[in-house]
């Protein structure tokens, strides 16, 4: 529940290492569906945690993890993501990046939805047009904004999508996005069967997919309680389940889910409650999971705040950043379930670096911090209190208070947290630009690419630029990166762009969230994906 | 009698409108933008934001929004949650669960309260009375979430006597653990009330008369003492049941009970006005109905009470 507060968002570009993602389709990283799983009972049902989807189960209208993990189990996209964030073809046989603005997609023949309809190019084109249409008001419509013909203001067709034959279509983009192919594994890009458009409302309640799992039957989604999925015998692809199905139980609190895990009522849990941070590794032993995730945490000090504009602002931001003892806070407050940040992205993303030029601004250095603060005071003496706003419904108080204390003790200024009762209130003020303090920000990637952490947040006039940051040098490096079709070259440019950010600190990087989870003795082969959701299809039940 | 009931029901109508208006206003006045929050840390496109606001009438002034809401209620349309489900379906799904839980908790609390309260009164000042006072104080003093976590950890996780959470299996038999916790949390007041009331009754003239008629203790205590001591308990029952119907949020959260408290909490956090207002509206109705029933039960317990529509 807390995770959905960090948006699944993105627009982005950054190329996959090759221009062509050629298929490993059909290869098998799980066990067969013939009833003889590798080391487990292939008919056994795995019990996992989830939360009530906040929207109907329509891929383009689901932007939070509760619905997302169900859709990911029920649908197969053109590509899929492996645990390390690398991509593999699923429905796609071949995706060719003709140039940074044009792609050709060829899909495999003979794949079907669970209602028997064949998956063709048309299913993708129709689904994407549905998701993009302004009057459909889909929460994930922004995934299509780079496609030719997209409009937020009026209903328009995605003219950039063109069907070549039943199994081939081309995508024309309205601006270079060399990593577009890499995005295609996100749920917004799933195909929809024709049945969806006959009655989208009942489809949202009983979705028909083409993925590894399908609904156990009509009404398998019991609201507020759970959803029962069984493996789809007709699924033919790299994600063939090694188990018989998933029983996803919805929890309103992570504490109750954790109690169920300890009592053996739950096989796999992908979110350990804060209250168990101290004990979960001893409770679970080697069945505890604690690894970096694609989630970046920060706070933003907008330039429009007094004392934070221009040269003075740059000095003060750097001073504040250097006065935070990130290591101590992640150790003490988070019990090691966060990793101190060394850039603006995440260690699970290809191209992440802990040695960017200027990254020392993220290290705790009280002497240097005081020096910089004094320099800023020489420009204009400091007055007032430094505050960091946060939403009190998300478990942020402890770290905000600790961070404020760290700043206060180092710089000798008044610093404190400013709680807002709910996330909606905080976001309301941030969006309206009425907020008069620094505020917490975070970002969870939609797809494993560096650009996704940079473009939507810090480019001039970017959709989620909460601090209204603008720097032509950064913009230039970013757009060069997104036009580069070579992944190495692109990543190099994105790293250079981040070095600009490290100077300006449009957001103050704090730490990367880890995915903390665990599993019971009843299951094996549990591996967490790059997006912090377990790769359910690989899990086997110990018989 | 019928006239009295009719009058009470008519009285409930302005209560209903007043309460919904007040609640709607309070929810409306809550700062923040629930639609913007749907997008998490991402800033939605302004045009999309406007259309979504319009869909939930959030772009209209307060009184227009309220009118839309009330007009909907008369068509039995309580609005649509952000997840696209009619609020009335959510109500129909969650209320029975909470009702079961509340009934079980009340039965547990009152059986314990009456038995222990009665014996405490009979042995006033004795060891049993005093030790039960200490136990009651403990239950009053310990916050419910502590009680709930302890019960969950020791009775369910460690000993395995119960399942730690409820979830999909929420029939009568599955609700024992949360019901016991809830019951214990309200038990203490009812027990002390029974005790005080019983002591008072024991000193009444008619009790002495009954004994002097030669009636046995086994007859006097249940029939003459207990029945008359129960009258204040009925008021207590009404209040407690009301509280449990609407206020079990914490317990429902800890035990993952898919009831009204849990759902309402989620809706408040998300700023889902239709869900919040409809739930609270139903709470108002439940309270009013319980109070009418309590007033009627008085008459059954105490023949001196008569209902006169004035």
């Amino acid at each position: 529940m807390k995770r959905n507060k960090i948006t699944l968002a993105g627009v982005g570009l950054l190329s996959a290492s090759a221009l062509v993602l050629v298929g490993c389709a059909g290869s098998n990283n799980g066990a067969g569906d013939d009833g003889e799983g590798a080391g487990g009972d292939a008919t056994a049902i795995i019990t996992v945690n989830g939360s009530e989807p906040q929207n109907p189960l329509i891929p383009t209208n689901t932007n939070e993890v509760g619905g997302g993990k169900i859709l990911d189990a029920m649908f197969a996209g053109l590509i899929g993501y492996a645990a390390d964030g690398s991509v593999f073809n699923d429905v796609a046989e071949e995706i060719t990046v003709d140039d940074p603005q044009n792609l050709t997609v060829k899909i495999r023949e003979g794949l079907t939805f669970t209602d028997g309809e064949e998956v063709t190019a048309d299913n993708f084109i129709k689904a994407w047009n549905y998701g993009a249409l302004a009057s459909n008001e889909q929460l994930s419509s922004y995934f299509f904004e780079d496609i030719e013909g997209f409009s937020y203001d009026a209903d328009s067709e995605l003219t950039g999508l063109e069907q070549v034959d039943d199994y081939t279509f081309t995508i024309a983009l309205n601006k270079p996005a060399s990593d577009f192919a890499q995005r295609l594994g996100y749920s917004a890009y799933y195909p929809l069967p024709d049945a969806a458009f006959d009655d989208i409302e009942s489809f949202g309640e009983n979705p028909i997919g083409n993925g590894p799992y399908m609904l156990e039957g009509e009404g398998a989604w019991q609201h507020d309680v759970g959803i029962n999925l069984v493996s789809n015998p007709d699924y033919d692809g790299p994600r063939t389940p090694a188990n018989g199905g998933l029983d996803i139980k919805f929890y309103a609190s992570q504490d109750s889910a954790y109690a169920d895990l300890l009592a053996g009522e739950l096989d796999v849990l992908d979110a350990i409650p804060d209250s168990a941070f101290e004990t979960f590794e001893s409770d679970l032993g080697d069945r505890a999971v604690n690894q970096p995730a694609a989630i970046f945490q920060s706070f933003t000090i907008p330039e429009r705040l007094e004392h934070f504009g221009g040269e003075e602002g740059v000095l003060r931001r750097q001073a504040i950043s250097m006065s935070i003892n990130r290591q101590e806070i992640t150790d003490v407050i988070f019990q090691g379930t966060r990793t101190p940040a060394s850039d603006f992205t995440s260690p699970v993303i290809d191209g992440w670096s802990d040695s960017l030029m200027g990254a020392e601004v993220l290290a705790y250095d009280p002497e240097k911090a005081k020096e910089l603060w004094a320099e800023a005071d020489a420009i204009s003496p400091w007055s007032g209190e430094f505050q960091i706003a946060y939403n009190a419904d998300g478990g942020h108080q402890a770290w905000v208070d600790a961070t404020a204390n760290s700043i206060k003790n180092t710089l000798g200024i008044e610093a404190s947290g400013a709680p807002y009762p709910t996330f909606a209130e905080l976001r309301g003020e941030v969006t309206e630009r009425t907020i008069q303090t620094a505020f917490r920000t975070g970002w969870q990637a939609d797809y494993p690419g560096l650009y996704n952490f940079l473009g939507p947040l810090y480019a001039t006039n970017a959709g989620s630029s909460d601090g209204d940051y603008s720097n032509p040098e950064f913009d230039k490096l970013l757009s060069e990166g997104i036009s580069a079709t070579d992944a190495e070259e692109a990543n190099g440019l994105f790293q250079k762009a981040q070095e600009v950010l490290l100077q300006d600190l449009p957001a103050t990087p704090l730490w990367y969230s880890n995915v903390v989870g665990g599993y019971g003795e009843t299951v094996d082969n549990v591996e967490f994906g790059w997006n912090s959701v377990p790769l359910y299809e690989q899990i086997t039940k110990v018989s | 009698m019928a006239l009295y009931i009719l009058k009470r029901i008519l009285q409930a109508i302005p209560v209903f409108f007043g309460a919904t208006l007040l609640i709607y206003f309070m929810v409306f006045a809550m700062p923040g933008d629930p639609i913007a929050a749907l997008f998490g840390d991402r800033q939605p496109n302004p045009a999309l934001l406007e259309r979504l606001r319009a869909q939930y009438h959030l772009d209209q002034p307060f009184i227009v929004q309220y009118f839309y809401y009330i007009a909907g209620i008369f068509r039995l349309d309580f609005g649509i949650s952000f997840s696209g489900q009619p609020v009335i379906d959510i109500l129909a799904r969650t209320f029975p669960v909470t009702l079961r839980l509340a009934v079980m908790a009340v039965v547990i609390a009152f059986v314990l309260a009456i038995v222990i309260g009665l014996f405490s009164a009979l042995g006033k000042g004795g060891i049993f009375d005093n030790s039960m006072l200490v136990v009651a104080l403990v239950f009053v003093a310990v916050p419910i979430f502590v009680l709930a976590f302890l019960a969950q950890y020791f009775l369910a996780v460690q000993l395995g006597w119960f399942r730690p959470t409820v979830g999909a299996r929420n029939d009568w038999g599955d609700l024992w653990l949360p019901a016991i916790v809830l019951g214990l949390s309200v038990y203490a007041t009812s027990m002390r009330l029974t005790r005080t009331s019983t002591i008072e009754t024991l000193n009444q003239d008619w009790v002495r008369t009954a004994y002097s008629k030669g009636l046995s203790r086994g007859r006097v205590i249940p029939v003459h003492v207990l029945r008359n001591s129960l009258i204040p308990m009925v008021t207590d029952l009404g209040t407690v049941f009301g509280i449990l119907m609407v206020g079990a949020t914490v317990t429902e959260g800890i035990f993952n009970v898919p009831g009204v408290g849990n759902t309402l909490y989620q809706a408040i956090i998300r700023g889902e006005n239709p869900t919040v207002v409809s739930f609270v509206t139903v709470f108002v109705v439940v309270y009013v109905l319980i109070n009418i029933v309590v007033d009627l039960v008085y008459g059954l317990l105490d023949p001196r009470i008569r209902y006169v529509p004035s």
Side-chain angles (χ1 to χ4, degrees):
Chain A
M1 193 200 98
K2 278 161 199 153
R3 277 243 313 282
N4 64 45
K5 310 258 151 100
I6 303 158
T7 253
L8 307 173
V11 176
L13 332 175
L14 157 137
S15 127
S17 59
L19 285 182
V20 180
L21 304 167
V22 185
C24 61
S27 78
N28 205 329
N29 58 5
D33 55 358
D34 54 5
E36 278 187 64
D41 176 0
T43 57
I45 303 291
I46 311 290
T47 317
V48 303
N49 72 299
S51 56
E52 171 77 5
Q54 295 178 19
N55 300 96
L57 287 172
I58 298 165
T60 49
N61 206 25
T62 295
N63 66 346
E64 47 85 42
V65 71
K69 69 163 69 164
I70 298 170
L71 289 172
D72 287 344
M74 293 186 64
F75 284 85
L78 291 168
I79 60 167
Y81 301 115
D84 62 358
S86 60
V87 299
F88 55 82
N89 284 350
D90 194 335
V91 174
E93 188 172 299
E94 191 178 341
I95 298 173
T96 318
V97 181
D98 304 318
D99 62 60
Q101 263 178 272
N102 286 286
L103 297 90
T104 305
V105 177
K106 185 157 176 36
I107 64 178
R108 286 190 286 140
E109 296 182 22
L111 301 176
T112 56
F113 289 99
T114 50
D115 66 350
E117 189 190 335
E118 194 184 7
V119 182
T120 61
D122 201 41
N123 295 107
F124 284 94
I125 295 174
K126 275 194 188 152
W128 296 7
N129 267 300
Y130 177 84
L133 199 71
S135 59
N136 285 341
E137 296 162 1
Q138 300 291 290
L139 294 178
S140 294
S141 60
Y142 62 88
F143 277 94
F144 307 103
E145 68 187 10
D146 287 351
I147 299 176
E148 199 79 61
F150 181 86
S151 165
Y152 278 116
D153 304 309
D155 283 357
S156 64
E157 205 197 325
L158 295 177
T159 48
L161 299 179
E162 216 166 308
Q163 183 171 352
V164 177
D165 59 48
D166 273 0
Y167 305 102
T168 315
F169 65 104
T170 57
I171 307 168
L173 305 175
N174 53 29
K175 58 174 178 252
S178 55
D179 71 346
F180 196 83
Q182 198 187 9
R183 302 178 204 170
L184 293 173
Y186 188 72
S187 52
Y189 298 109
Y190 289 150
L192 290 177
D194 288 343
F197 305 107
D198 296 341
D199 183 352
I200 195 78
E201 245 171 69
S202 80
F203 182 84
E205 193 67 24
N206 290 292
I208 298 159
N210 62 332
Y213 296 96
M214 58 187 191
L215 293 181
E216 193 182 37
E218 194 87 350
W221 179 8
Q222 293 174 272
H223 288 282
D224 297 323
V225 165
I227 190 164
N228 296 320
L229 304 178
V230 292
S231 57
N232 171 10
D234 297 325
Y235 172 76
D236 166 29
R239 288 165 64 207
T240 304
N243 49 58
L246 302 177
D247 181 357
I248 304 180
K249 295 166 93 170
F250 299 156
Y251 294 93
S253 88
Q254 294 167 351
D255 288 287
S256 50
Y258 188 64
D260 265 2
L261 179 71
L262 292 183
E265 294 281 319
L266 191 69
D267 291 328
V268 184
L269 174 66
D270 63 11
I272 301 287
D274 304 1
S275 58
F277 276 176
E278 214 164 324
T279 55
F280 84 99
E281 280 175 323
S282 57
D283 284 347
L284 300 171
D286 56 4
R287 292 175 290 109
V289 176
N290 183 6
Q291 62 193 46
I295 302 170
F296 170 79
Q297 304 281 12
S298 57
F299 63 82
T300 297
I301 313 173
E303 285 188 55
R304 57 186 167 74
L305 296 190
E306 205 190 343
H307 294 298
F308 285 103
E311 174 72 1
E312 184 196 355
V314 170
L315 291 168
R316 290 206 193 278
R317 276 192 196 83
Q318 291 179 349
I320 285 172
S321 176
M322 290 174 124
S323 62
I324 302 165
N325 193 339
R326 292 172 176 78
Q327 189 65 53
E328 190 176 82
I329 295 172
T330 53
D331 286 348
V332 175
I333 307 277
F334 292 116
Q335 310 288 335
T337 61
R338 301 284 188 279
T339 309
S342 57
D343 77 341
F344 289 81
T345 64
S346 156
V348 297
I349 307 294
D350 189 36
W352 167 81
S353 166
D354 60 356
S355 49
L356 295 177
M357 206 176 69
E360 59 275 5
V361 75
L362 304 180
Y364 178 55
D365 187 346
E367 292 313 311
K368 184 92 175 111
K370 277 182 212 152
E371 227 171 86
L372 291 168
W373 193 259
E375 277 179 49
D377 276 346
I379 297 172
S380 157
W382 171 255
S383 59
E385 185 178 13
F386 180 72
Q387 286 198 305
I388 302 172
Y390 63 96
N391 49 309
D393 61 354
H396 298 293
Q397 188 187 354
W399 73 256
V400 172
D401 286 349
T403 305
N405 274 335
S406 196
I407 295 168
K408 185 174 166 179
N409 294 338
T410 309
L411 299 178
I413 58 169
E414 281 304 310
S416 64
Y420 283 69
T422 62
F423 183 68
E425 282 177 53
L426 177 65
R427 283 313 298 180
E429 287 221 3
V430 169
T431 310
E432 298 294 323
R433 302 287 190 261
T434 50
I435 195 157
Q436 292 305 327
T437 62
F439 49 88
R440 67 157 281 269
T441 38
W443 194 256
Q444 175 165 14
D446 295 319
Y447 62 93
L450 285 187
Y451 181 86
N452 189 226
F453 283 92
L454 304 174
L457 292 168
Y458 313 116
T460 302
N461 294 326
S464 297
S465 176
D466 291 335
D468 294 321
Y469 175 70
S470 173
N471 183 329
E473 200 190 338
F474 172 78
D475 288 349
K476 183 168 160 284
L477 288 164
L478 194 69
S479 76
E480 279 172 23
I482 200 58
S483 307
T485 44
D486 178 71
E488 296 258 327
E489 188 194 341
N491 281 349
L493 287 159
F494 292 139
Q495 287 174 356
K496 277 219 183 78
Q498 287 193 71
E499 288 171 356
V500 177
L501 297 185
L502 284 168
Q503 277 293 314
D504 294 345
L505 295 174
T508 309
L510 293 169
W511 36 74
Y512 315 113
S513 291
N514 285 14
V515 47
V516 283
Y519 50 95
E521 281 159 2
T522 46
V523 287
D524 245 331
N525 297 323
V526 181
E527 195 182 1
F528 280 64
W530 75 277
N531 61 351
S532 314
V533 176
L535 300 173
Y536 293 126
E537 61 276 2
Q538 298 181 8
I539 301 172
T540 51
K541 198 111 183 176
V542 178
S543 34
Chain B
M1 181 80 167
L3 241 155
Y4 174 80
I5 297 174
L6 185 71
K7 188 180 160 236
R8 286 297 301 265
I9 289 173
L10 286 176
Q11 272 174 353
I13 292 171
V15 170
F16 172 82
F17 280 104
T20 50
L21 185 69
L22 198 66
I23 296 152
Y24 211 96
F25 178 73
M26 288 193 290
V27 174
F28 178 84
M30 235 160 54
D33 184 343
I35 300 293
L38 280 181
F39 292 86
D41 285 338
R42 184 186 171 77
Q43 291 208 357
N45 177 274
L48 175 61
L49 202 59
E50 280 318 305
R51 277 196 300 276
L52 280 168
R53 284 206 184 105
Q55 190 189 328
Y56 295 99
H57 307 304
L58 290 173
D59 53 344
Q60 306 279 351
F62 163 68
I63 201 73
V64 178
Q65 286 192 38
Y66 179 70
F67 175 76
Y68 272 117
Y69 177 74
I70 289 293
I73 283 187
F74 284 108
R75 283 178 276 124
L76 274 183
D77 169 10
F78 286 79
I80 303 277
S81 74
F82 287 163
S83 60
Q85 302 169 58
V87 173
I88 192 148
D89 288 0
I90 304 179
L91 277 168
R93 191 170 71 227
T94 53
F95 244 91
V97 180
T98 298
L99 185 68
R100 282 198 284 276
L101 181 61
V103 168
M104 283 175 77
V106 162
V107 169
I108 291 169
F110 276 71
V111 167
L112 279 178
I114 290 170
V115 172
I116 294 176
L118 182 67
F119 282 102
S120 288
L122 293 175
K124 190 176 80 170
I127 294 175
F128 182 78
D129 185 22
N130 280 323
S131 50
M132 283 302 123
L133 172 65
V134 173
V135 171
L137 285 176
V138 169
F139 285 128
V140 172
V142 176
I144 186 159
F145 65 89
V146 175
L147 200 62
F149 272 124
L150 289 176
Q152 187 180 50
Y153 188 73
F154 288 105
L155 302 184
V157 175
Q158 292 294 323
L159 295 171
W161 292 352
F162 303 92
R163 277 195 300 269
T165 65
V166 173
R169 288 164 297 194
N170 52 38
D171 218 336
W172 293 100
D174 304 307
L175 292 166
W176 276 108
L177 192 55
I180 290 169
V181 168
L182 268 182
L184 288 179
S185 73
V186 294
Y187 143 83
T189 338
S190 311
M191 188 277 271
R192 296 301 290 173
L193 201 62
T194 313
R195 180 184 171 277
T196 318
S197 166
T198 309
I199 290 172
E200 214 172 279
T201 316
L202 282 171
N203 293 329
Q204 296 291 337
D205 290 344
W206 74 73
V207 176
R208 217 174 325 136
T209 312
Y211 277 124
S212 52
K213 272 203 306 193
L215 290 179
S216 71
R217 209 173 139 82
R219 169 101 187 136
V220 175
I221 300 291
V223 178
H224 296 260
V225 177
L226 191 57
R227 184 176 157 181
N228 287 299
S229 309
L230 283 183
I231 295 172
M233 295 296 292
V234 172
T235 323
D236 188 43
L237 179 84
T239 324
V240 167
F241 190 67
I243 291 171
L244 290 181
M245 275 306 290
V246 307
T249 311
V250 174
T251 315
E252 286 192 359
I254 291 170
F255 294 103
N256 204 36
V257 180
V260 290
N262 224 340
T263 312
L264 180 65
Y265 176 73
Q266 304 286 335
I268 291 173
I269 291 295
R270 281 185 222 153
E272 277 190 18
N273 296 14
T275 316
V276 175
V277 180
S278 302
F279 269 67
V280 181
T281 304
V282 175
F283 291 169
V284 171
V285 173
V286 167
Y287 250 101
V288 170
L289 286 180
I290 288 177
N291 273 305
I292 295 178
V293 171
V294 165
D295 287 351
L296 295 177
V297 171
Y298 269 160
L300 300 178
L301 287 172
D302 189 342
R304 288 171 302 186
I305 297 172
R306 289 283 171 271
Y307 301 105
V308 187
S310 55

